[in-house]
Amino acid sequence: MAQLLHLLLNVSEKAANVARVCRQEAPLFELLVQEKTGVDKNKKFVQDFKTLADVVIQEMIRHDVCAQFPELSGFIHGEESNKFENGLGESVTVTVCNKEEDTAALLAKVLDGDQTAASLLTRAIHQDLQLKDEAAESLQVPISPADVGIWIDPIDATSQYIEGKEEEVSEDGFCPSGLPCALVLIGVYMRATGQPVMGVINQPFSQKDLTGKGWKGKHFWGVSYGTVNACSFTHPMRSLGKKNKYLAVVLSSSERQEVKDALAPLCNGRLMYASGAGYKILCVIQGLMDVYVLSEGSTFKWDSCAPHALLRSLGGGVSDLAQCLSAISDGKKGHTAELTYHNPHAGCLGVERWANQGGLVAYIDSTVIDRVVGALVGKI
């Protein structure tokens, strides 16, 4: 599995580079935006977007992983449909071809014959990028690729990526909105149990480069399987000190008022808000926040699988909020209701088959989830 982790780190960096290329070339970016409709539309947003960058990143990851691990074919799932409609109304199935010229020809068809844009994107897709991470390369985990599946969120916080506000991360590391919230998420789960066992997060827009014109990225990974718990981020800041009387709680700005009111006393009235489900969980991973709470079913398996694996490697997890509330009401511990990633919801269509329908609570310290769920029980 060290080989798979190393590969996922490399493809995450390729994905981050594609995302940066698409943002840096404004004429290209204007061609890429397409509105999601029908069963693919996320109900949380008034206007939710699909970008060609999303689709290309997803299919590039699928192509590169299956080339090295053919046993994963059919078990790599993504947020995006790879059907894309060009300006002529033609539906094109976007795939990454073995030959660069074939990929360029396909993308040119999507881009209404714009050879320059297609060539620019193709070079980024076929570029051989390597991330050096000795800890990841030396890790020994006894899992067969034939026993796992993969969830991809090619660009989490798509709205922040499209809007493109160049907010930089503050000194304490927290960024409530803007490009740093846009993440590439690749999560690995066990096919038999749905348990998340490996996650890679790439933050393409972590900080401005020395020229001030481009961006540098950052990557994180975690593995949790059996007795193996390893993470590239080993010392969350808040976990190093003594137990805090007040919690750092991060929410979506659209969270229900009842939830805000119930949680405010736990954080001395200072609730924090940020964009992107993946980014909010990353804040918990980094120790910037103690807990991320979401009361609605507006996130999906591709949002949570990768960061969930990192949290598990640090002793935390991501639980179903509705099940936690039910368990507390029955006198049980709430943090046993961990999300799983292998079974769709019966009777649902489109993306709703893979929604985290009961909401979620992301945490590192299990005593935190007990306090949060205790505050919410009977309130929502």
Side-chain angles (χ1 to χ4, degrees):
M1 282 293 276
Q3 283 184 313
L4 178 59
L5 176 57
H6 187 224
L7 174 61
L8 295 183
L9 285 168
N10 289 339
V11 296
S12 81
E13 185 60 19
K14 285 180 66 175
N17 189 53
V18 170
R20 286 189 289 263
V21 166
C22 290
R23 277 234 55 96
Q24 288 163 4
E25 301 294 330
L28 173 61
F29 186 71
E30 288 171 7
L31 290 170
L32 302 182
V33 182
Q34 192 179 61
E35 195 172 340
K36 288 180 181 175
T37 58
V39 294
D40 285 333
K41 188 174 179 66
N42 180 345
K43 65 185 180 185
K44 179 179 176 182
F45 299 100
V46 174
Q47 196 173 37
D48 189 19
F49 296 103
K50 176 170 66 183
T51 67
L52 181 57
D54 271 325
V55 179
V56 163
I57 288 169
Q58 178 178 288
E59 297 309 310
M60 179 191 70
I61 294 170
R62 194 193 310 274
H63 172 272
D64 288 8
V65 172
C66 287
Q68 189 166 331
F69 296 100
E71 60 268 48
L72 278 164
S73 180
F75 291 92
I76 300 176
H77 317 291
E79 175 183 8
E80 303 295 343
S81 164
N82 64 342
K83 301 291 193 298
F84 205 88
E85 189 173 296
N86 65 14
L88 300 175
E90 299 171 322
S91 182
V92 182
T93 300
V94 176
T95 58
V96 172
C97 307
N98 291 327
K99 294 182 178 180
E100 191 168 332
E101 57 266 31
D102 293 338
T103 302
L106 187 148
L107 291 178
K109 186 176 181 181
V110 176
L111 295 168
D112 299 331
D114 188 334
Q115 298 291 342
T116 302
S119 177
L120 182 66
L121 198 50
T122 299
R123 281 200 299 272
I125 293 166
H126 285 272
Q127 189 175 5
D128 183 20
L129 293 177
Q130 299 287 323
L131 272 179
K132 188 67 177 175
D133 192 311
E134 293 181 2
E137 292 167 20
S138 63
L139 193 65
Q140 297 298 315
V141 186
I143 307 175
S144 167
D147 293 330
V148 302
I150 294 176
W151 277 111
I152 305 165
D153 191 342
I155 303 177
D156 187 51
T158 309
S159 61
Q160 297 301 308
Y161 173 68
I162 291 171
E163 192 173 346
K165 288 184 179 178
E166 298 194 348
E167 308 268 347
E168 289 207 58
V169 177
S170 63
E171 288 186 7
D172 65 2
F174 181 68
C175 186
S177 63
L179 284 172
C181 298
L183 306 176
V184 177
L185 306 174
I186 309 174
V188 180
Y189 66 91
M190 300 302 297
R191 294 182 197 176
T193 64
Q195 187 178 67
V197 292
M198 180 184 294
V200 169
I201 300 174
N202 198 304
Q203 187 178 32
F205 307 97
S206 176
Q207 63 185 69
K208 285 292 192 74
D209 62 19
L210 294 176
T211 69
K213 297 178 180 178
W215 287 83
K216 293 194 297 184
K218 186 183 292 185
H219 72 275
F220 310 85
W221 59 267
V223 173
S224 180
Y225 180 77
T227 59
V228 178
N229 286 289
C231 186
S232 61
F233 200 95
T234 53
H235 300 293
M237 286 181 286
R238 293 181 65 85
S239 69
L240 293 177
K242 60 184 180 181
K243 296 293 183 182
N244 294 293
K245 177 181 178 181
Y246 294 113
L247 299 179
V249 180
V250 64
L251 305 172
S252 167
S253 59
S254 61
E255 184 55 80
R256 287 188 284 170
Q257 190 60 45
E258 302 95 306
V259 174
K260 296 176 183 179
D261 292 343
L263 295 180
L266 296 182
C267 52
N268 199 24
R270 188 168 179 262
L271 293 163
M272 303 297 288
Y273 302 96
S275 298
Y279 179 74
K280 286 191 277 286
I281 304 177
L282 178 60
C283 288
V284 180
I285 293 166
Q286 293 176 296
L288 302 173
M289 298 291 151
D290 293 306
V291 64
Y292 163 41
V293 181
L294 179 68
S295 67
E296 298 181 352
S298 54
T299 65
F300 300 84
K301 301 306 180 187
W302 50 79
D303 294 311
S304 56
C305 187
H308 189 170
L310 271 76
L311 280 176
R312 290 187 70 245
S313 74
L314 294 168
V318 181
S319 292
D320 182 297
L321 176 59
Q323 290 185 34
C324 288
L325 292 169
S326 177
I328 289 290
S329 297
D330 294 338
K332 302 173 184 176
K333 290 289 186 182
H335 53 272
T336 57
E338 292 282 309
L339 297 183
T340 56
Y341 295 88
H342 58 323
N343 290 327
H345 299 295
C348 295
L349 298 175
V351 297
E352 292 303 317
R353 293 178 301 152
W354 300 106
N356 297 318
Q357 292 183 341
L360 59 81
V361 186
Y363 64 97
I364 288 181
D365 183 347
S366 61
T367 63
V368 169
I369 193 172
D370 290 337
R371 290 171 66 184
V372 167
V373 174
L376 289 172
V377 70
K379 306 287 181 60
I380 60 173

